Amino acid sequence: MAFPAKYPQMNATELTDEARSVLIRVIRVAFPHPSFPDAPYERTADTILREAENSTWFRVALTQGLLTLGHLAGGDFRDLNDEDGTKVLRRIETTEFFGFIRRTTVLNLYDNEDVWEILGYEGPSFDKGGYINRGFNDLDWLPEARTETYDGPEQLIEIATNASVAKIRGGENTPAIERDTSNQPGKRDATMMEMTK
Amino acid sequence: MSNIEHDEAAIVIIGSGAGGGTLAYELTAKGLPVVVLEAGPYLRNEDYVNDEWEAFNQMAWLDPRTTSGSWRIARDFPNLPAWIVKAVGGTTTHWSGATPRFKAHEFAARSTYGRIDGANLLDWPITLVELAPYYDKAEVAMGSTHVHGRKPLPANNNYTVFANGAERLGYKFYSTGPYATNAEEYDGRPASIQDGFNFQGDKNKSKWSTLVREIPRAEATGLLDLRPESHAVQITHDASGRADAVLYLDKDGNLQRQAARLVAVAANSIETPRLLLQSASPMFPDGLANSSGQVGRNYMRHTTGSLYARFKDPVRMHRGETMAGVIADESRHDPDRGFAGGYFLETISLGPAFLASFSDPGAWGRGFTEILEAYANTAGLWIVGEDLPQESNRVTLNTTLSDKNGLPVPNVHFDDHTNDIAMREHGYAQAELLYEAVGSVGAQRTPPYPSTHNMGTSRMSARSEDGVVDKWGRAHDVPNLFISDGSVFTTSAAANPTLTIVALAIRQAEYIADQLKTGGI
Ligand SMILES: Cc1cc2nc3c(=O)[nH]c(=O)nc-3n(C[C@H](O)[C@H](O)[C@H](O)COP(=O)(O)OP(=O)(O)OC[C@H]3O[C@@H](n4cnc5c(N)ncnc54)[C@H](O)[C@@H]3O)c2cc1C
């Protein structure tokens, strides 16, 4: 049973299948891996959609962003090639909309076996006995290196002889960069009570 | 395990990591019963998982914290200033294992480096000569390789690239350690199987931690009352200004009181000053043991940064011990390089999940995905060097925000000193040269991670106006209060901190036992 919505226009904040497919394209353009199949991108998009369900702020930002991306794209974002799509995303990279997608993608796209194998990472190893007999030292393009402490004629000089004449600058700090670089999951504001992935 | 009554005035240790776990073992081994309050759960090696985020969420201290200042962490990870464990064994369950010693002049930074603008430099009240016997004991306890007859670990792939680069660059002082993980069976624990998951707890128990050594041994004495999931919220004192109890929340959130004749705080350098500040009273209005005003100040995190270099051929840095590779050539003090103090270079490796989150926070697009595309052909190293204490780098209580227990959260304020920046730049440049010498085709300069080394917030000083504790870690203001973790570091030195924390704790245990016997406390 569905009652008519009190504010029918609010239905626009529901994320449609079309919005999902725009989102998948946004993630692929922003995080291009020619060797990745669609599945990891779809999985990541679904994670973003799930997280948006739990936060009104992200939900409205995401919905609005996906609906209006086409204005910047001069049509359907999905019709842009990689280069043009990247240009559009560069223009919005400081928005909450893009920041939310970027942070959640960084945290989730690479945290799954489906991409590890492609990248050459082998995942859990303890149950396989580690790498002690499975190539921890199989690098063959450089000579073997010494592992022991150096025992040649030289001594490590702990304090350089010129030390007393040195002039060391101090004081001023470097200015902060303004770009949103948060890689922390969840909200950036101080109300975040728990850090969960 | 022993059971100490709540109203029995006990020796109470807060925190079971490098400092607290060591102190608990050393005291119980001398026949002294102790209560250890540990905020985190009792995880065992079997509980650990070979998965970066899952392990992080299982082990890390995730209670909210806030940040301020110009450090990048305040933008990139605003609620995660530090990477610290909340579990029995503390951050020694997460650590990698590099155990270099401090150098003699690093205990005398003020005298050696002179006055540096903006830095609150001070000499330690102890010398290397005084600490050397305890370094020996700590290395034996931790099974550090390369010393006391412990075999070096074999070279893994990441090390082979690192060491060849070092050799071609003209560095001499490189090796696979000292590193507190067994190359062969030692102290009842097996040799490393090079599984590559020691940041995730090390299921194999080859890596030293207080979880695998000090805690079980303290339990075996029958004198340890270990209380996991017990979060200390205040140290109370009597009319004479002596600590008399610790209030803590048990696992059900109920406030408990443990009477105390001696309190040792080893909650790592953010929670230790937080607890002292939370213990303010009419007699100690600025926080317990804070007549100097130095509690929470001089917060240090080491000058760090990583370099991930790409090659034409496979490296597979994830196979094997994470940090079994150390170069000491740059650890000297040579102001001609443009900065005071020195740094080490150490191998490091992350999986794709962590590399994505930490290698270049905020980045996206092709430049970012190239880092991950090159994963299999990537080698990594970490810069770790001395950072300068500054009074304004500081842990305070953020009273506008409370945690789930209603306690004010700690805020960590940090600005890099120009000396730190100059050192980091030098480290990046040397690291690039090192990898170019063995054919790198590209490299990523990675900024500091949330701080893994946290120091200085209750520093040692000869005079009570300059710091919080004396040369034994005993509070200048409160005779039966001790600080037993990296908070006591007067300066950070270049070396990774844990060996020094353990050495100081062993030394402190002797002092406490002696003072209790002679009535000095
Ligand atoms: C990834 C990683 C790699 C590292 N690698 C190295 C390395 O190679 N070499 C090196 O020297 N160091 C390394 N370190 C640093 C090392 O782990 C720390 O220096 C060391 O563990 C600090 O010891 P501690 O006793 O000060 O604190 P911790 O070991 O952090 O222990 C503090 C304990 O106190 C508990 N606690 C906090 N507050 C309260 C409270 N209010 N009540 C009760 N309990 C409380 C915490 O839960 C924790 O268990 C590494 C750290 C990390 C994260």
Side-chain angles (χ1 to χ4, degrees):
Chain A
M1 181 165 61
F3 292 103
K6 190 171 173 198
Y7 299 104
Q9 67 274 28
M10 290 306 282
N11 292 338
T13 60
E14 300 285 307
L15 285 152
T16 59
D17 282 351
E18 189 179 327
R20 178 175 178 270
S21 98
V22 174
L23 177 59
I24 292 168
R25 177 68 188 150
V26 168
I27 303 170
R28 199 183 256 287
V29 170
F31 295 89
H33 289 282
S35 55
F36 285 12
D38 290 334
Y41 290 104
E42 290 166 359
R43 161 175 68 70
T44 305
D46 290 337
T47 303
I48 291 171
L49 294 172
R50 249 193 330 274
E51 292 202 357
E53 268 167 37
N54 300 323
S55 157
T56 307
W57 171 224
F58 289 147
R59 193 165 61 254
V60 297
L62 186 66
T63 310
Q64 175 76 351
L66 291 174
L67 281 173
T68 56
L69 199 54
H71 302 331
L72 282 184
D76 193 326
F77 180 80
R78 291 168 297 183
D79 295 338
L80 299 183
N81 63 28
D82 292 357
E83 202 180 318
D84 292 338
T86 305
K87 279 186 194 145
V88 168
L89 297 181
R90 282 285 166 216
R91 287 172 63 188
I92 59 157
E93 71 174 328
T94 57
T95 60
E96 186 61 26
F97 162 65
F98 186 75
F100 171 51
I101 294 174
R102 180 184 58 70
R103 287 196 290 278
T104 315
T105 301
V106 162
L107 283 167
N108 290 282
L109 179 59
Y110 304 100
D111 190 21
N112 197 294
E113 283 170 24
D114 60 7
V115 305
W116 290 347
E117 208 180 303
I118 302 168
L119 297 176
Y121 178 67
E122 297 157 286
S125 75
F126 178 78
D127 291 341
K128 299 174 184 151
Y131 294 104
I132 189 85
N133 299 315
R134 295 190 311 126
F136 83 105
N137 58 354
D138 65 357
L139 188 142
D140 57 9
W141 50 272
L142 284 168
E144 240 176 66
R146 163 169 62 78
T147 60
E148 297 86 9
T149 312
Y150 173 76
D151 67 352
E154 285 182 38
Q155 293 285 319
L156 179 69
I157 302 193
E158 296 192 349
I159 305 183
T161 44
N162 56 350
S164 56
V165 298
K167 174 92 185 75
I168 293 144
R169 286 191 313 133
E172 72 276 22
N173 292 303
T174 44
I177 307 164
E178 290 310 325
R179 190 168 57 132
D180 162 27
T181 58
S182 175
N183 261 8
Q184 188 156 303
K187 288 181 264 180
R188 271 179 64 85
D189 61 30
T191 58
M192 194 198 75
M193 293 305 285
E194 207 162 296
M195 150 102 195
T196 50
K197 191 178 79 66
Chain B
M1 191 170 88
S2 94
N3 208 336
I4 295 171
E5 297 296 328
H6 280 53
D7 55 6
E8 182 185 332
I11 297 174
V12 182
I13 299 174
I14 298 161
S16 62
T22 300
L23 186 64
Y25 167 59
E26 296 290 331
L27 292 177
T28 54
K30 295 181 203 312
L32 294 164
V34 301
V35 173
V36 171
L37 302 176
E38 167 52 57
Y42 204 157
L43 299 173
R44 319 284 175 142
N45 299 69
E46 309 79 79
D47 300 325
Y48 295 140
V49 284
N50 278 191
D51 182 292
E52 292 184 301
W53 278 119
E54 196 182 336
F56 180 83
N57 284 314
Q58 176 191 44
M59 299 165 72
W61 185 281
L62 303 175
D63 298 19
R65 287 170 172 157
T66 56
T67 47
S68 55
S70 58
W71 59 334
R72 265 194 76 166
I73 293 292
R75 277 180 299 129
D76 299 344
F77 304 97
N79 297 107
L80 190 71
W83 183 351
I84 293 178
V85 171
K86 183 179 187 178
V88 171
T91 316
T92 65
T93 60
H94 220 121
W95 85 316
S96 28
T99 56
R101 292 185 179 194
F102 285 19
K103 301 187 198 328
H105 71 266
E106 291 174 323
F107 289 95
R110 175 64 181 82
S111 317
T112 311
Y113 306 157
R115 210 188 73 77
I116 299 178
D117 284 351
N120 192 21
L121 281 174
L122 185 72
D123 289 354
W124 288 61
I126 56 171
T127 63
L128 178 62
V129 173
E130 278 173 271
L131 200 58
Y134 299 96
Y135 270 142
D136 287 336
K137 288 182 188 184
E139 285 160 349
V140 170
M142 298 163 83
S144 292
T145 60
H146 295 80
V147 288
H148 311 290
R150 301 274 75 72
K151 231 170 80 161
L153 280 150
N156 61 26
N157 294 336
N158 202 22
Y159 178 80
T160 297
V161 179
F162 175 84
N164 274 285
E167 182 67 35
R168 289 185 197 176
L169 206 58
Y171 286 153
K172 297 277 182 300
F173 303 95
Y174 63 83
S175 53
T176 55
Y179 191 76
T181 290
N182 293 346
E184 56 193 353
E185 195 185 318
Y186 174 68
D187 208 24
R189 291 180 290 110
S192 165
I193 58 166
Q194 303 277 349
D195 73 5
F197 284 95
N198 70 346
F199 278 179
Q200 285 70 33
D202 182 32
K203 294 175 80 68
N204 203 49
K205 302 186 179 175
S206 303
K207 173 180 85 171
W208 173 86
S209 65
T210 56
L211 177 77
V212 299
R213 185 176 190 276
E214 280 68 17
I215 303 286
R217 286 180 196 197
E219 282 175 329
T221 64
L223 297 173
L224 175 69
D225 184 344
L226 171 65
R227 300 183 198 159
E229 295 175 76
S230 299
H231 187 122
V233 301
Q234 195 167 60
I235 301 164
T236 59
H237 62 81
D238 63 17
S240 69
R242 290 172 62 89
D244 65 359
V246 179
L247 304 183
Y248 68 95
L249 289 156
D250 67 17
K251 64 176 187 307
D252 303 315
N254 298 317
L255 202 57
Q256 304 280 354
R257 178 180 187 275
Q258 174 61 53
R261 64 166 165 155
L262 184 149
V263 177
V265 189
N268 206 323
S269 294
I270 296 176
E271 296 306 313
T272 290
R274 180 191 185 201
L275 183 59
L276 297 179
L277 295 172
Q278 280 175 188
S279 303
S281 70
M283 197 186 278
F284 298 98
D286 298 323
L288 194 60
N290 195 19
S291 68
S292 65
Q294 297 293 315
V295 168
R297 294 188 186 272
N298 311 307
Y299 169 72
M300 295 173 286
R301 57 157 182 170
H302 272 143
T303 297
T304 72
S306 308
L307 197 87
Y308 291 97
R310 306 190 267 277
F311 295 87
K312 287 202 294 290
D313 300 297
V315 177
R316 299 194 176 90
M317 64 174 170
H318 61 278
R319 294 182 180 175
E321 287 298 333
T322 310
M323 201 168 267
V326 179
I327 298 171
D329 295 67
E330 299 286 357
S331 67
R332 68 191 191 280
H333 170 57
D334 176 3
D336 267 3
R337 292 175 302 183
F339 52 88
Y343 64 87
F344 290 88
L345 299 170
E346 296 170 353
T347 53
I348 194 167
S349 136
L350 299 177
F354 270 23
L355 197 63
S357 280
F358 297 109
S359 62
D360 189 10
W364 58 278
R366 193 162 301 284
F368 175 81
T369 51
E370 271 171 6
I371 300 171
L372 285 135
E373 289 277 311
Y375 185 79
N377 296 1
T378 296
L381 68 73
W382 196 54
I383 301 158
V384 52
E386 177 154 21
D387 65 333
L388 301 182
Q390 300 179 71
E391 275 204 304
S392 53
N393 285 345
R394 184 176 181 193
V395 175
T396 52
L397 298 182
N398 181 348
T399 48
T400 64
L401 183 65
S402 46
D403 66 13
K404 69 172 193 303
N405 301 315
L407 303 169
V409 310
N411 183 71
V412 184
H413 181 94
F414 192 90
D415 299 304
D416 276 311
H417 192 279
T418 41
N419 196 77
D420 307 344
I421 296 167
M423 181 187 291
R424 181 177 301 118
E425 290 301 309
H426 192 272
Y428 283 142
Q430 290 304 111
E432 279 161 1
L433 289 174
L434 181 150
Y435 284 129
E436 277 164 22
V438 278
S440 71
V441 294
Q444 174 62 40
R445 291 183 174 198
T446 288
Y449 310 116
S451 314
T452 57
H453 299 174
N454 299 274
M455 299 158 291
T457 51
S458 300
R459 72 178 183 181
M460 256 188 204
S461 63
R463 304 186 322 154
S464 62
E465 42 292 28
D466 294 332
V468 180
V469 297
D470 70 6
K471 65 177 187 167
W472 305 106
R474 184 177 185 169
H476 288 302
D477 302 344
V478 183
N480 63 341
L481 176 66
F482 287 77
I483 311 290
S484 317
D485 62 16
S487 312
V488 304
F489 284 20
T490 312
T491 52
S492 78
N496 313 56
T498 308
L499 177 74
T500 303
I501 295 173
V502 171
L504 288 171
I506 296 173
R507 175 173 166 274
Q508 185 182 65
E510 278 184 12
Y511 176 76
I512 289 175
D514 183 62
Q515 291 291 303
L516 287 173
K517 219 178 291 159
T518 59
I521 290 181

